Amino acid sequence: MEHTGEMTMKDIAREMGVSVATVSRALKDSPSISRERREKIQQFAREHNYIPNAIAEQLRNSRKSPPKVIGVIMPEFVHYYFATVLAGIEKVASDRGYMILIASSNESQQREIDICRAFYKNKVCGIIASQAKGTVDYGHFVALDKQKLPLVFFDRICPAINASRVVVDDYMGTFKAVSHLIESGCKRIVFYGTAPNLEIAINRFNGYKDALYKHGLTLDETLVKECDTREEAERITPELLELKDRPDAFFAVNDETAIGVLYTVKNRGLKIPEEVSICGFTNSTYAISCDPQLTSVEQNGYEIGSEAAEILIDMVEGSIPRDRATKRIVKTNLIVRETTR
């Protein structure tokens, strides 16, 4: 038999000249199939490395009981914050008897659209998602909402629908961090933000701007940059450090970007924090593995994931109405370390 890819029950049925239902019963050792036929089908399955798909089985049985599979869309897997959110989702889902299907959009709108279609086609009971940076058209999420599929967004929410969401207090987290920089003596503070179409970008920028105004400083647009990766920080920061009126502090949208600033400042021979202060956002493992250790805003990813999963499952099970958007805000904490005065 020539076969590429993963063996399915349909493949076995075709080769054995029986129905898929017969294969299914034989693999479950059902007495409704003769012992001889059961053994032949089981032997064929073993010889061709058939592996039962537990999730597919659960979806096939969804007519008997609601499927207990949650789709999770992450912008990326390697980011510390998203990994901690996923850990929170997985723990709650497991405790409440649900499985999760995880996919990464890789920050691509088209990939996000494809994932939404695949999840809907495979009858997940609900979706937890953080929007890709590249998403500017929200039709795929609007379509899911119209189909009454439970949706919960975290971190990067979809502005086109009034869906349930769990976010951190981005505005206050940034406001407190920038206020800390100003109160320690900094006056020229760079803001490194993320894609401007994201609500977290707006909230964090507003927190930065209001902290400046509250402390009597004026906003300098030349110090506001879209920069949310270490690579971008290492490319952009040297130009800012060469300004005649050099910045004396940097607030970065995440810790990786802040580490890029730290690396560049140290390479220029400037002292941290005496000459340049640096603050990140996430409080990841990066924050304590660098030298000097990074001041950062604790984002509480595990709590966000836990809350998102609880809300979604409550919607699926009916204890929260599906047409009512539940919104929860998780507080941030400023963790002061060695990169600020």
Side-chain angles (χ1 to χ4, degrees):
M1 169 186 172
E2 292 293 326
H3 185 270
T4 58
E6 187 176 300
M7 172 70 67
T8 67
M9 283 199 290
K10 190 178 289 185
D11 296 324
I12 298 173
R14 184 175 61 249
E15 293 299 319
M16 300 293 291
V18 297
S19 69
V20 173
T22 297
V23 173
S24 177
R25 286 194 288 269
L27 294 177
K28 291 176 182 174
D29 217 24
S30 169
S32 64
I33 307 295
S34 71
R35 174 172 298 200
E36 181 182 4
R37 176 165 283 186
R38 286 203 311 266
E39 290 176 351
K40 281 184 178 179
I41 292 173
Q42 290 169 5
Q43 182 180 354
F44 183 90
R46 284 194 300 273
E47 288 174 353
H48 291 85
N49 300 313
Y50 169 74
I51 301 172
N53 186 325
I55 291 175
E57 183 69 19
Q58 192 169 54
L59 293 174
R60 277 193 294 274
N61 292 333
S62 62
R63 276 175 284 185
K64 300 174 186 175
S65 62
K68 302 187 79 172
V69 181
I70 298 167
V72 180
I73 305 175
M74 293 280 173
E76 55 180 297
F77 289 141
V78 296
H79 196 294
Y80 171 87
Y81 169 67
F82 292 123
T84 58
V85 172
L86 185 57
I89 293 171
E90 199 282 330
K91 177 64 167 64
V92 169
S94 177
D95 287 349
R96 297 187 63 173
Y98 286 73
M99 301 178 73
I100 58 174
L101 283 176
I102 312 158
S104 170
S105 66
N106 294 321
E107 303 289 13
S108 161
Q109 174 174 297
Q110 186 55 54
R111 173 74 180 141
E112 191 174 79
I113 291 170
D114 293 341
I115 294 168
C116 285
R117 286 174 178 164
F119 280 172
Y120 184 73
K121 181 179 178 182
N122 285 290
K123 298 183 174 62
V124 296
C125 61
I127 293 176
I128 298 172
S130 184
Q131 181 188 305
K133 281 192 294 188
T135 297
V136 292
D137 184 304
Y138 312 107
H140 48 299
F141 288 128
V142 171
L144 293 175
D145 186 54
K146 286 181 178 177
Q147 293 297 326
K148 305 299 182 185
L149 184 72
L151 286 171
V152 178
F153 290 91
F154 70 91
D155 193 49
R156 306 174 188 172
I157 66 173
C158 176
I161 54 178
N162 185 31
S164 293
R165 63 193 65 178
V166 182
V167 296
V168 295
D169 193 345
D170 290 294
Y171 171 88
M172 189 53 67
T174 305
F175 181 88
K176 288 180 179 178
V178 176
S179 293
H180 166 68
L181 292 170
I182 297 169
E183 289 161 7
S184 68
C186 301
K187 298 185 184 302
R188 297 267 297 159
I189 303 169
V190 173
F191 176 83
Y192 279 168
T194 191
N197 60 299
L198 299 175
E199 187 166 310
I200 63 166
I202 298 167
N203 291 339
R204 292 184 193 178
F205 176 69
N206 286 337
Y208 163 78
K209 183 175 60 176
D210 288 355
L212 294 180
Y213 291 157
K214 183 191 175 184
H215 292 84
L217 299 178
T218 56
L219 176 67
D220 183 346
E221 295 284 357
T222 65
L223 300 182
V224 177
K225 305 288 183 182
E226 184 178 338
C227 174
D228 61 3
T229 66
R230 175 172 178 163
E231 294 72 24
E232 280 291 293
E234 290 180 11
R235 183 181 67 82
I236 294 173
T237 305
E239 301 170 11
L240 293 169
L241 294 177
E242 289 168 6
L243 293 173
K244 185 176 180 181
D245 191 5
R246 188 183 68 211
D248 55 11
F250 287 77
F251 171 83
V253 71
N254 57 49
D255 288 351
E256 291 90 332
T257 303
I259 296 298
V261 175
L262 185 150
Y263 177 83
T264 305
V265 171
K266 287 179 71 174
N267 264 4
R268 292 296 167 116
L270 297 170
K271 294 179 182 178
I272 303 171
E274 292 85 357
E275 294 177 283
V276 179
S277 291
I278 305 165
C279 181
F281 203 111
T282 302
N283 195 37
S284 65
T285 52
Y286 293 110
I288 56 173
S289 60
C290 57
D291 181 26
Q293 292 190 352
L294 182 69
T295 293
S296 185
V297 178
E298 168 64 66
Q299 205 168 356
N300 299 308
Y302 187 90
E303 184 179 347
I304 287 173
S306 300
E307 290 275 358
E310 292 282 10
I311 292 170
L312 186 81
I313 294 171
D314 284 346
M315 291 170 71
V316 170
E317 295 182 353
S319 56
I320 292 179
R322 295 192 180 192
D323 59 354
R324 189 183 83 198
T326 300
K327 301 174 184 179
R328 293 184 188 164
I329 298 176
V330 175
K331 289 184 179 180
T332 57
N333 305 298
L334 179 64
I335 311 299
V336 178
R337 298 192 180 93
E338 300 163 355
T339 57
T340 56
R341 304 172 199 168

